[in-house]
Coordinates of all heavy atoms in Angstrom, one line a residue:
M192 N 2.9 -7.2 -9.0 CA 2.1 -6.5 -8.0 C 3.0 -6.1 -6.8 O 4.0 -6.8 -6.6 CB 0.9 -7.3 -7.5 CG -0.1 -7.5 -8.6 SD -1.8 -7.6 -8.0 CE -1.8 -9.4 -7.6
A193 N 2.6 -5.1 -6.2 CA 3.4 -4.5 -5.1 C 2.7 -4.8 -3.8 O 1.5 -4.8 -3.7 CB 3.7 -3.1 -5.3
R194 N 3.5 -4.9 -2.7 CA 2.9 -5.0 -1.4 C 2.3 -3.7 -0.9 O 3.0 -2.6 -1.1 CB 3.9 -5.5 -0.4 CG 4.5 -6.8 -0.8 CD 5.3 -7.5 0.4 NE 6.4 -6.6 0.9 CZ 7.0 -6.8 2.0 NH1 6.8 -7.9 2.7 NH2 8.0 -5.9 2.4
V195 N 1.2 -3.7 -0.3 CA 0.6 -2.5 0.3 C 1.1 -2.4 1.8 O 1.0 -3.4 2.5 CB -0.9 -2.6 0.3 CG1 -1.5 -1.3 0.9 CG2 -1.4 -2.7 -1.1
L196 N 1.7 -1.3 2.1 CA 2.3 -1.1 3.4 C 1.6 0.0 4.1 O 1.0 0.9 3.5 CB 3.8 -0.7 3.3 CG 4.7 -1.6 2.4 CD1 6.1 -1.0 2.4 CD2 4.7 -3.0 3.0
V197 N 1.6 -0.1 5.4 CA 0.9 0.9 6.3 C 1.7 1.0 7.6 O 2.4 0.1 8.0 CB -0.6 0.6 6.5 CG1 -0.7 -0.6 7.3 CG2 -1.3 1.8 7.0
A198 N 1.6 2.1 8.3 CA 2.2 2.3 9.6 C 1.3 1.7 10.6 O 0.1 2.0 10.6 CB 2.6 3.7 9.9
C199 N 1.8 0.9 11.5 CA 1.0 0.3 12.6 C 0.4 1.4 13.4 O 1.1 2.3 13.8 CB 1.9 -0.6 13.4 SG 1.1 -1.2 14.9
A200 N -0.8 1.3 13.8 CA -1.5 2.3 14.6 C -1.0 2.3 16.0 O -1.2 3.3 16.7 CB -3.0 2.0 14.5
Q201 N -0.4 1.2 16.4 CA 0.1 1.1 17.8 C 1.5 1.7 18.0 O 1.7 2.5 18.9 CB 0.1 -0.4 18.2 CG -1.3 -1.0 18.3 CD -2.1 -0.4 19.4 OE1 -1.6 0.0 20.5 NE2 -3.4 -0.3 19.2
D202 N 2.4 1.3 17.1 CA 3.8 1.7 17.4 C 4.4 2.4 16.2 O 5.6 2.7 16.2 CB 4.6 0.5 17.9 CG 4.8 -0.6 16.9 OD1 4.4 -0.4 15.7 OD2 5.2 -1.7 17.3
G203 N 3.7 2.5 15.1 CA 4.2 3.3 14.0 C 5.1 2.5 13.1 O 5.6 3.1 12.1
R204 N 5.4 1.3 13.4 CA 6.3 0.5 12.5 C 5.6 0.2 11.2 O 4.4 0.0 11.1 CB 6.6 -0.9 13.2 CG 7.8 -0.8 14.1 CD 8.3 -2.1 14.5 NE 7.4 -2.7 15.5 CZ 7.5 -4.0 15.9 NH1 8.5 -4.8 15.4 NH2 6.7 -4.4 16.8
V205 N 6.4 0.2 10.1 CA 5.8 -0.1 8.8 C 5.6 -1.6 8.7 O 6.5 -2.4 8.9 CB 6.8 0.3 7.7 CG1 6.3 -0.1 6.3 CG2 7.0 1.9 7.8
V206 N 4.3 -1.9 8.4 CA 4.0 -3.4 8.2 C 3.3 -3.6 6.9 O 2.7 -2.7 6.3 CB 3.0 -3.8 9.4 CG1 3.7 -3.7 10.7 CG2 1.8 -2.9 9.4
H207 N 3.4 -4.8 6.5 CA 2.8 -5.3 5.2 C 1.3 -5.6 5.6 O 1.1 -6.4 6.5 CB 3.5 -6.5 4.7 CG 2.9 -7.1 3.5 ND1 3.0 -8.4 3.2 CD2 2.2 -6.5 2.5 CE1 2.3 -8.6 2.0 NE2 1.8 -7.5 1.6
T208 N 0.4 -5.1 4.8 CA -1.0 -5.4 5.1 C -1.5 -6.7 4.6 O -2.5 -7.2 5.0 CB -1.9 -4.3 4.4 OG1 -1.7 -4.5 2.9 CG2 -1.6 -2.9 4.8
G209 N -0.6 -7.4 3.8 CA -1.0 -8.7 3.3 C -1.7 -8.5 1.9 O -2.0 -9.5 1.2
H210 N -2.0 -7.3 1.6 CA -2.6 -7.0 0.3 C -1.5 -6.8 -0.8 O -0.5 -6.2 -0.4 CB -3.5 -5.8 0.3 CG -4.7 -6.0 1.2 ND1 -4.8 -5.5 2.5 CD2 -5.8 -6.7 1.0 CE1 -6.0 -5.9 3.0 NE2 -6.6 -6.6 2.2
H211 N -1.7 -7.2 -2.0 CA -0.9 -7.0 -3.1 C -1.7 -6.3 -4.2 O -2.7 -6.8 -4.5 CB -0.2 -8.3 -3.6 CG 0.7 -8.9 -2.7 ND1 0.3 -9.7 -1.6 CD2 2.0 -8.9 -2.6 CE1 1.3 -10.1 -1.0 NE2 2.4 -9.6 -1.5
M212 N -1.2 -5.2 -4.7 CA -1.9 -4.5 -5.7 C -0.9 -3.9 -6.7 O 0.2 -3.6 -6.4 CB -2.7 -3.3 -5.1 CG -3.8 -3.7 -4.2 SD -4.7 -2.3 -3.6 CE -6.0 -3.1 -2.6
T213 N -1.4 -3.7 -7.9 CA -0.7 -2.9 -8.9 C -0.9 -1.4 -8.5 O -1.8 -1.1 -7.8 CB -1.2 -3.2 -10.3 OG1 -2.6 -2.7 -10.4 CG2 -1.2 -4.6 -10.7
A214 N -0.1 -0.6 -9.1 CA -0.3 0.8 -8.9 C -1.7 1.3 -9.3 O -2.4 2.1 -8.6 CB 0.7 1.6 -9.6
A215 N -2.2 0.8 -10.4 CA -3.5 1.1 -10.8 C -4.6 0.7 -9.9 O -5.6 1.4 -9.6 CB -3.8 0.6 -12.2
Q216 N -4.4 -0.6 -9.4 CA -5.4 -1.1 -8.4 C -5.4 -0.3 -7.1 O -6.4 0.0 -6.5 CB -5.1 -2.5 -8.1 CG -5.5 -3.5 -9.2 CD -5.0 -4.9 -8.9 OE1 -3.9 -5.1 -8.3 NE2 -5.7 -5.9 -9.4
F217 N -4.2 0.1 -6.7 CA -4.1 0.9 -5.5 C -4.7 2.3 -5.7 O -5.5 2.7 -4.8 CB -2.6 1.1 -5.1 CG -2.4 1.8 -3.8 CD1 -2.7 1.2 -2.6 CD2 -1.9 3.1 -3.8 CE1 -2.5 1.9 -1.4 CE2 -1.7 3.8 -2.6 CZ -2.0 3.1 -1.4
E218 N -4.5 2.9 -6.8 CA -5.1 4.2 -7.0 C -6.6 4.1 -7.0 O -7.3 5.1 -6.7 CB -4.6 4.8 -8.4 CG -3.2 5.2 -8.4 CD -2.8 6.2 -7.3 OE1 -3.6 7.1 -7.1 OE2 -1.8 6.1 -6.7
A219 N -7.2 3.0 -7.4 CA -8.6 2.8 -7.5 C -9.2 2.2 -6.2 O -10.4 2.0 -6.1 CB -8.9 1.8 -8.6
A220 N -8.4 2.0 -5.2 CA -8.8 1.4 -4.0 C -9.6 2.4 -3.1 O -9.1 3.4 -2.6 CB -7.6 0.9 -3.2
N221 N -10.9 2.1 -3.0 CA -11.8 3.0 -2.3 C -12.3 2.5 -1.0 O -12.9 3.2 -0.2 CB -13.0 3.4 -3.1 CG -12.7 4.3 -4.3 OD1 -11.9 5.2 -4.1 ND2 -13.3 4.1 -5.4
A222 N -12.0 1.2 -0.8 CA -12.6 0.5 0.4 C -11.7 0.7 1.6 O -10.6 1.3 1.6 CB -12.7 -1.0 0.1
R223 N -12.2 0.2 2.7 CA -11.5 0.2 4.0 C -11.1 -1.3 4.2 O -12.0 -2.2 4.2 CB -12.4 0.7 5.1 CG -11.8 1.0 6.4 CD -12.7 1.9 7.2 NE -12.2 2.1 8.5 CZ -12.6 1.4 9.6 NH1 -13.5 0.5 9.5 NH2 -12.1 1.6 10.8
Y224 N -9.9 -1.6 4.3 CA -9.4 -2.9 4.3 C -8.9 -3.3 5.7 O -8.3 -2.5 6.4 CB -8.2 -3.1 3.3 CG -8.6 -2.8 1.9 CD1 -8.4 -1.5 1.4 CD2 -9.1 -3.8 1.0 CE1 -8.8 -1.2 0.1 CE2 -9.4 -3.5 -0.3 CZ -9.3 -2.2 -0.8 OH -9.6 -1.9 -2.1
A225 N -9.2 -4.5 6.1 CA -8.8 -5.0 7.4 C -7.6 -6.0 7.2 O -7.5 -6.7 6.2 CB -9.9 -5.7 8.1
F226 N -6.7 -6.0 8.1 CA -5.6 -6.9 8.1 C -5.1 -7.2 9.5 O -5.3 -6.3 10.4 CB -4.4 -6.4 7.2 CG -3.7 -5.3 7.8 CD1 -2.4 -5.5 8.4 CD2 -4.2 -4.0 7.8 CE1 -1.7 -4.5 8.9 CE2 -3.5 -2.9 8.4 CZ -2.2 -3.2 8.9
R227 N -4.5 -8.3 9.7 CA -3.8 -8.5 11.0 C -2.4 -8.0 11.0 O -1.6 -8.4 10.2 CB -3.9 -10.0 11.4 CG -3.3 -10.3 12.8 CD -3.5 -11.7 13.3 NE -4.9 -12.1 13.5 CZ -5.6 -11.7 14.6 NH1 -5.0 -11.0 15.5 NH2 -6.8 -12.1 14.7
C228 N -2.1 -7.2 11.9 CA -0.8 -6.5 11.9 C 0.3 -7.4 12.4 O 0.1 -8.1 13.4 CB -0.9 -5.3 12.9 SG 0.6 -4.4 13.0
S229 N 1.4 -7.4 11.6 CA 2.5 -8.3 12.0 C 3.3 -7.7 13.1 O 4.2 -8.3 13.7 CB 3.4 -8.6 10.8 OG 3.9 -7.4 10.3
A230 N 3.1 -6.4 13.4 CA 3.9 -5.7 14.5 C 3.3 -5.9 15.8 O 3.9 -6.2 16.8 CB 4.1 -4.3 14.1
C231 N 2.0 -5.7 15.9 CA 1.3 -5.8 17.2 C 0.3 -6.9 17.3 O -0.2 -7.2 18.4 CB 0.7 -4.5 17.6 SG -0.8 -4.1 16.6
G232 N -0.1 -7.5 16.2 CA -1.0 -8.7 16.3 C -2.5 -8.3 16.3 O -3.3 -9.2 16.2
D233 N -2.8 -7.0 16.3 CA -4.1 -6.5 16.3 C -4.7 -6.5 14.8 O -3.9 -6.5 13.9 CB -4.2 -5.1 16.9 CG -4.4 -5.1 18.4 OD1 -4.5 -6.2 19.0 OD2 -4.4 -4.0 18.9
I234 N -6.0 -6.4 14.7 CA -6.6 -6.1 13.4 C -6.6 -4.6 13.2 O -7.1 -3.9 14.1 CB -8.0 -6.7 13.4 CG1 -8.0 -8.2 13.6 CG2 -8.7 -6.4 12.1 CD1 -7.4 -9.0 12.5
H235 N -6.1 -4.2 12.2 CA -6.1 -2.7 11.8 C -6.9 -2.6 10.5 O -7.1 -3.6 9.8 CB -4.8 -2.1 11.6 CG -3.9 -2.1 12.8 ND1 -4.3 -1.9 14.0 CD2 -2.5 -2.4 12.9 CE1 -3.2 -1.9 14.9 NE2 -2.2 -2.3 14.2
H236 N -7.4 -1.4 10.3 CA -8.0 -1.1 9.0 C -7.1 0.0 8.3 O -6.6 0.8 9.0 CB -9.4 -0.5 9.2 CG -10.3 -1.6 9.8 ND1 -10.4 -1.8 11.1 CD2 -11.2 -2.4 9.2 CE1 -11.3 -2.8 11.3 NE2 -11.8 -3.2 10.2
W237 N -7.1 -0.1 7.0 CA -6.4 1.0 6.3 C -7.2 1.4 5.1 O -8.1 0.7 4.6 CB -5.0 0.5 5.8 CG -5.0 -0.6 4.8 CD1 -5.0 -2.0 5.1 CD2 -5.0 -0.5 3.4 NE1 -5.0 -2.7 3.9 CE2 -5.0 -1.8 2.9 CE3 -5.1 0.6 2.5 CZ2 -5.0 -2.0 1.5 CZ3 -5.1 0.3 1.1 CH2 -5.1 -1.0 0.7
V238 N -7.0 2.7 4.8 CA -7.6 3.2 3.5 C -6.4 3.8 2.7 O -5.3 3.9 3.2 CB -8.6 4.3 3.8 CG1 -9.8 3.8 4.6 CG2 -8.0 5.5 4.6
R239 N -6.7 4.0 1.5 CA -5.6 4.4 0.6 C -4.8 5.6 1.1 O -3.6 5.7 0.9 CB -6.2 4.7 -0.8 CG -5.1 5.1 -1.8 CD -5.6 4.9 -3.2 NE -6.8 5.6 -3.5 CZ -6.9 6.9 -3.9 NH1 -5.8 7.6 -4.0 NH2 -8.0 7.5 -4.1
A240 N -5.5 6.6 1.7 CA -4.8 7.8 2.1 C -3.8 7.5 3.2 O -2.8 8.3 3.4 CB -5.8 8.8 2.7
E241 N -3.9 6.4 3.9 CA -3.0 6.0 5.0 C -1.9 5.1 4.5 O -0.9 4.8 5.3 CB -3.7 5.4 6.2 CG -4.8 6.3 6.7 CD -5.7 5.5 7.7 OE1 -5.7 4.2 7.7 OE2 -6.5 6.1 8.4
A242 N -2.0 4.5 3.4 CA -1.1 3.4 3.0 C -0.4 3.8 1.7 O -0.6 4.9 1.1 CB -2.0 2.2 2.7
W243 N 0.6 3.0 1.4 CA 1.3 3.2 0.2 C 1.8 1.8 -0.3 O 1.8 0.8 0.4 CB 2.5 4.1 0.4 CG 3.6 3.6 1.3 CD1 4.7 2.9 1.0 CD2 3.6 3.7 2.8 NE1 5.4 2.6 2.2 CE2 4.7 3.0 3.3 CE3 2.7 4.2 3.7 CZ2 5.0 2.9 4.6 CZ3 3.0 4.1 5.1 CH2 4.1 3.5 5.5
I244 N 2.2 1.8 -1.6 CA 2.7 0.5 -2.1 C 4.2 0.6 -2.2 O 4.8 1.6 -2.5 CB 2.0 0.2 -3.5 CG1 2.2 1.3 -4.5 CG2 0.5 -0.2 -3.3 CD1 1.6 0.9 -5.9
E245 N 4.7 -0.6 -2.0 CA 6.2 -0.8 -2.0 C 6.6 -0.4 -3.4 O 6.0 -0.9 -4.4 CB 6.5 -2.2 -1.7 CG 7.9 -2.4 -1.2 CD 8.0 -3.8 -0.6 OE1 7.6 -4.8 -1.2 OE2 8.5 -3.9 0.5
P246 N 7.8 0.2 -3.5 CA 8.3 0.5 -4.9 C 8.5 -0.8 -5.6 O 9.1 -1.7 -5.1 CB 9.6 1.2 -4.6 CG 9.5 1.8 -3.3 CD 8.6 0.9 -2.5
A247 N 8.0 -0.8 -6.8 CA 8.2 -2.0 -7.7 C 9.5 -1.9 -8.4 O 10.3 -1.0 -8.2 CB 7.0 -2.0 -8.7
R248 N 9.7 -2.9 -9.3 CA 11.0 -2.9 -10.0 C 11.1 -1.7 -10.9 O 12.2 -1.2 -11.1 CB 11.1 -4.2 -10.8 CG 11.6 -5.4 -10.0 CD 11.5 -6.7 -10.8 NE 10.1 -7.0 -11.0 CZ 9.7 -8.1 -11.6 NH1 10.6 -8.9 -12.1 NH2 8.4 -8.4 -11.7
V249 N 10.0 -1.3 -11.4 CA 10.0 -0.1 -12.3 C 9.8 1.1 -11.3 O 8.8 1.2 -10.7 CB 8.9 -0.1 -13.3 CG1 8.8 1.2 -14.1 CG2 9.0 -1.3 -14.2
V250 N 10.8 2.0 -11.2 CA 10.8 3.1 -10.3 C 9.9 4.2 -10.9 O 9.7 4.3 -12.1 CB 12.2 3.7 -10.0 CG1 13.0 2.6 -9.3 CG2 12.8 4.1 -11.3
R251 N 9.3 5.0 -10.0 CA 8.3 6.0 -10.4 C 9.0 6.9 -11.4 O 8.3 7.4 -12.3 CB 7.9 6.7 -9.2 CG 6.8 7.8 -9.5 CD 6.3 8.3 -8.2 NE 5.5 7.4 -7.4 CZ 4.2 7.3 -7.6 NH1 3.5 8.0 -8.4 NH2 3.5 6.4 -6.9
A252 N 10.2 7.3 -11.2 CA 10.9 8.3 -12.1 C 10.8 7.8 -13.5 O 10.7 8.6 -14.5 CB 12.3 8.5 -11.6
A253 N 10.9 6.5 -13.7 CA 11.0 5.9 -15.1 C 9.6 6.0 -15.7 O 9.5 6.1 -17.0 CB 11.5 4.5 -15.0
T254 N 8.6 6.0 -14.9 CA 7.2 6.0 -15.5 C 6.7 7.4 -15.6 O 5.6 7.7 -16.1 CB 6.3 5.1 -14.7 OG1 6.2 5.6 -13.4 CG2 6.7 3.7 -14.7
A255 N 7.4 8.4 -14.9 CA 6.9 9.7 -14.9 C 7.3 10.6 -16.0 O 7.0 11.8 -16.1 CB 7.3 10.4 -13.5
A256 N 8.1 10.0 -16.9 CA 8.5 10.8 -18.1 C 7.4 11.3 -18.9 O 6.4 10.6 -19.0 CB 9.4 9.9 -19.0
P257 N 7.4 12.5 -19.3 CA 6.3 13.0 -20.1 C 6.0 12.2 -21.4 O 7.0 11.7 -22.0 CB 6.7 14.5 -20.4 CG 8.2 14.5 -20.2 CD 8.5 13.5 -19.2
A258 N 4.8 12.1 -21.7 CA 4.4 11.4 -22.9 C 4.9 12.2 -24.1 O 5.1 13.5 -24.0 CB 2.9 11.3 -23.0
E259 N 5.2 11.6 -25.2 CA 5.7 12.3 -26.4 C 4.6 13.2 -26.9 O 3.4 12.9 -26.9 CB 6.1 11.3 -27.5 CG 7.3 10.4 -27.0 CD 7.9 9.7 -28.2 OE1 7.7 10.2 -29.3 OE2 8.4 8.6 -28.0
A260 N 5.1 14.4 -27.3 CA 4.1 15.5 -27.6 C 3.4 15.1 -28.9 O 2.2 15.5 -29.1 CB 4.9 16.8 -27.8
E261 N 4.0 14.4 -29.8 CA 3.4 14.1 -31.0 C 2.7 12.8 -31.0 O 2.2 12.1 -31.3 CB 4.4 14.2 -32.2 CG 5.0 15.5 -32.3 CD 6.2 15.6 -33.2 OE1 6.7 14.5 -33.5 OE2 6.5 16.7 -33.6
Ligands
ZN738 ZN1 -0.3 -2.9 14.6

């Protein structure tokens, strides 16, 4: 699983939300999640549109290869 990252609403620093998700879980994440920010100490909320997951060991380019036609 990958760490879910978001930019701190206070100072824009990239912080770990404390959530860990697979890419599939992240794509399916519809909720609004709360976490305590490690940059400013406040509670922030994030939604998928504002967040991203840390690149995993398998890079996106490797998984983006087109499926075999046959
Ligand atoms: Zn913050």
Side-chain angles (χ1 to χ4, degrees):
M192 292 209 275
R194 301 193 304 170
V195 179
L196 306 178
V197 69
C199 169
Q201 293 294 328
D202 65 13
R204 272 191 286 173
V205 174
V206 294
H207 176 211
T208 62
H210 295 103
H211 293 81
M212 293 184 178
T213 64
Q216 287 172 327
F217 183 72
E218 290 303 319
N221 288 321
R223 192 162 174 263
Y224 301 89
F226 72 103
R227 182 173 294 281
C228 178
S229 60
C231 71
D233 274 356
I234 300 292
H235 298 317
H236 295 84
W237 65 270
V238 295
R239 180 163 53 88
E241 301 168 346
W243 64 94
I244 53 175
E245 200 168 51
R248 277 172 291 181
V249 178
V250 296
R251 181 174 291 269
T254 60
E259 294 194 29
E261 299 170 341

